[in-house]
Amino acid sequence: MNTFALWLAVAGAGAITFALRLSFIALLGRIEIPVLLSRMLRFVPAAVFTAVVVPLLFYVDGAVEVSLGNERLLAGLAAVLIAWRTRSVPLTLVGGMGVLWMLQILGTSGI
Amino acid sequence: MTTTISKADERTYPPGLTTTQEVAHSRRDRASFRHGSLTSQLDETTPSPGAAFLSGAKSIIPVLLALLPFGLAFGATATGNGLSAVEALGMSVFVFAGAAQLAAVPLLSAGASVAIVLLTVLVINLRLTLYSASLAPHFKRLPAAWKGLLAYLLTDQAYAATITRFDEGETAEQDKRWYYLGVAVAIWLTWQVATMTGVAVGSWASEGWSLDFVLPLIFIAAVVPAIKDRTTGAASLSAGLAALFCASLPLNLGLISAALVGVIGGLAAEVIFGRSGR
């Protein structure tokens, strides 16, 4: 991506994000959230975050790989468990990285 | 330094914004208005703007510690994907939304079209409208410039750190803006410093330590609390399954397609289980 297109994307992303943030703070009293939109918005975090994570865990070199050799998938599942039990972002980060490093060490040492 | 001003009459909520469950709780304490109750006014001292600002900034410190690795990861991911330091910092200043920034970096690096990047950012940041709706009653009397400033600084963390306090009436009306500003400015500064640090250590971090794995970990830490019931679980599950098949869609449309499938899956689950299934 060339520099111009990149800055165009950054400026556009900034403008869109600001508009979303300002929306109801600016419009309060003038409009109401449409019911269907508010019902859809409720599912956006769970849907988007999952859609970001899944390819990063399951895809290895452009193909889905579900095996014990997929260290990122295993470490990711461990992180899900940690996040679920502790609800702590730092513990999830530290635990997930720790499991990944452990698996990589085990993998290279051939155990 | 300390002035006691009657604030009982300022705690009113507007009639609008009644359609979302998310903001419904802001009406919960309607019944608890303190109409000039002398005792409650004597109990509470009204801090100065500076004190409210500091109180907000202090309250957010634990969250800042969790935000640091996130910002570091963004800086490192950005440089790892070929963005310059100025471009990475530019994103942090203009966009100032971690999840969207992190999702945009691989797209920018893969040469996705500007439209795809913007669409992705739009979808990921849609949730900010919910926060905006929820905070709006608390900021409704502010001048436009204040609204603009507070809106620019609106993040998951700033929202989470202030809304409960505001809704429960623990912050005096005239202090809300300063308390929120203290929280939000601390987050903003931390994000910029963390981005710059991430850019600086990026080249070192990207070698051998697999620190790019922090990206999925951050989203895992975000998605788990977002799954609150069967319907949000269905949204996550359907988005995940769709993502497996959509990841190789052309034009990097995979993320948006999978997210859309997830939202539809959530709506479908709501129909199947009913609203009581939440």
Side-chain angles (χ1 to χ4, degrees):
Chain A
M1 183 173 264
N2 65 49
T3 309
F4 174 74
L6 188 138
W7 280 106
L8 190 67
V10 169
I16 287 172
T17 305
F18 179 66
L20 295 172
R21 287 171 160 143
L22 189 61
S23 56
F24 289 97
I25 290 177
L27 292 172
L28 179 67
R30 287 180 235 175
I31 59 163
E32 292 187 354
I33 312 179
V35 176
L36 180 63
L37 180 65
S38 76
R39 282 173 63 190
M40 289 175 74
L41 285 176
R42 221 175 67 83
F43 299 117
V44 167
V48 174
F49 296 157
T50 309
V52 171
V53 169
V54 164
L56 293 173
L57 297 186
F58 283 85
Y59 275 76
V60 179
D61 298 327
V64 175
E65 186 183 324
V66 182
S67 73
L68 290 177
N70 186 347
E71 293 151 351
R72 287 176 177 237
L73 178 57
L74 294 179
L77 292 176
V80 169
L81 195 67
I82 296 168
W84 177 50
R85 299 302 298 183
T86 68
R87 299 278 155 141
S88 155
V89 176
L91 280 180
T92 306
L93 295 185
V94 170
M97 289 309 301
V99 172
L100 181 69
W101 288 335
M102 206 178 65
L103 289 170
Q104 285 174 340
I105 291 166
L106 291 177
T108 48
S109 60
I111 300 170
Chain B
M1 182 81 182
T2 310
T3 52
T4 308
I5 302 166
S6 169
K7 53 193 176 284
D9 293 328
E10 294 185 42
R11 295 203 64 246
T12 53
Y13 291 103
L17 292 166
T18 53
T19 54
T20 35
Q21 293 81 10
E22 282 78 7
V23 295
H25 63 278
S26 69
R27 292 176 282 125
R28 185 179 52 206
D29 54 349
R30 259 191 183 151
S32 65
F33 280 176
R34 290 158 297 176
H35 284 294
S37 157
L38 189 63
T39 47
S40 68
Q41 281 178 38
L42 289 175
D43 287 346
E44 296 171 40
T45 52
T46 307
S48 67
F53 182 94
L54 278 181
S55 156
K58 271 187 206 162
S59 76
I60 200 70
I61 288 172
V63 175
L64 300 181
L65 296 178
L67 199 63
L68 272 174
F70 195 177
L72 282 168
F74 168 71
T77 308
T79 41
N81 277 275
L83 270 72
S84 72
V86 179
E87 288 162 351
L89 197 61
M91 281 183 82
S92 281
V93 170
F94 284 113
V95 186
F96 185 47
Q101 286 177 230
L102 276 162
V105 163
L107 294 179
L108 293 169
S109 152
S113 74
V114 173
I116 295 294
V117 176
L118 296 188
L119 201 58
T120 303
V121 168
L122 175 72
V123 170
I124 292 181
N125 283 342
L126 265 181
R127 71 188 188 290
L128 294 172
T129 59
L130 274 183
Y131 306 157
S132 183
S134 181
L135 281 168
H138 301 288
F139 297 153
K140 67 171 176 164
R141 291 165 197 276
L142 297 181
W146 266 100
K147 286 183 176 175
L149 175 65
L150 299 187
Y152 165 67
L153 293 170
L154 177 53
T155 54
D156 301 271
Q157 292 83 2
Y159 171 75
T162 54
I163 191 63
T164 314
R165 211 183 144 85
F166 288 178
D167 279 351
E168 289 172 0
E170 288 173 29
T171 311
E173 186 70 31
Q174 63 269 33
D175 290 330
K176 282 178 182 171
R177 71 184 83 173
W178 292 105
Y179 185 87
Y180 177 96
L181 197 65
V183 167
V185 165
I187 291 170
W188 189 88
L189 286 174
T190 304
W191 186 247
Q192 309 308 335
V193 169
T195 298
M196 284 188 282
T197 312
V199 166
V201 303
S203 50
W204 167 81
S206 56
E207 288 164 18
W209 286 91
S210 305
L211 282 193
D212 56 318
F213 193 61
V214 171
L215 173 57
L217 291 177
I218 285 162
F219 282 94
I220 286 171
V223 76
V224 170
I227 300 171
K228 297 167 188 151
D229 49 38
R230 282 191 284 182
T231 56
T232 41
S236 171
L237 191 65
S238 41
L241 285 174
L244 279 182
F245 299 101
C246 293
S248 49
L249 279 182
L251 303 173
N252 294 290
L253 277 166
L255 171 60
I256 293 164
S257 312
L260 195 63
V261 171
V263 169
I264 293 168
L267 285 176
E270 203 173 61
V271 171
I272 294 166
F273 297 128
R275 299 214 167 184
S276 58
R278 284 181 178 175

